[in-house]
Amino acid sequence: MLRFPPRLRISDDGSVTAEYAVATMAAVGFAGLLVVILRSEEVRGILTDLVRNALAAGG
């Protein structure tokens, strides 16, 4: 088994926290992009038509 002297050991303290921070920031960015897209009139119209068609087909 290889043993490294203490000065050569690399500490990964905080790496999990940093990974969570990166994933959280990516999720926030994606959510922001979705908000911008869903606020557009074109997308709103498409979604409204989709819901209306789905309700009409079911009834």
Side-chain angles (χ1 to χ4, degrees):
M1 178 176 212
L2 292 175
R3 296 203 183 262
F4 293 103
R7 70 176 189 273
L8 295 179
R9 291 184 187 149
I10 298 173
S11 174
D12 59 355
D13 292 344
S15 64
V16 172
T17 303
E19 290 169 5
Y20 283 132
V22 170
T24 302
M25 292 306 295
V28 168
F30 185 68
L33 180 63
L34 283 177
V35 167
V36 169
I37 290 171
L38 292 176
R39 283 190 174 178
S40 73
E41 284 298 321
E42 288 181 32
V43 173
R44 189 174 300 169
I46 291 169
L47 291 175
T48 302
D49 289 342
L50 182 69
V51 170
R52 283 184 186 152
N53 291 335
L55 292 175

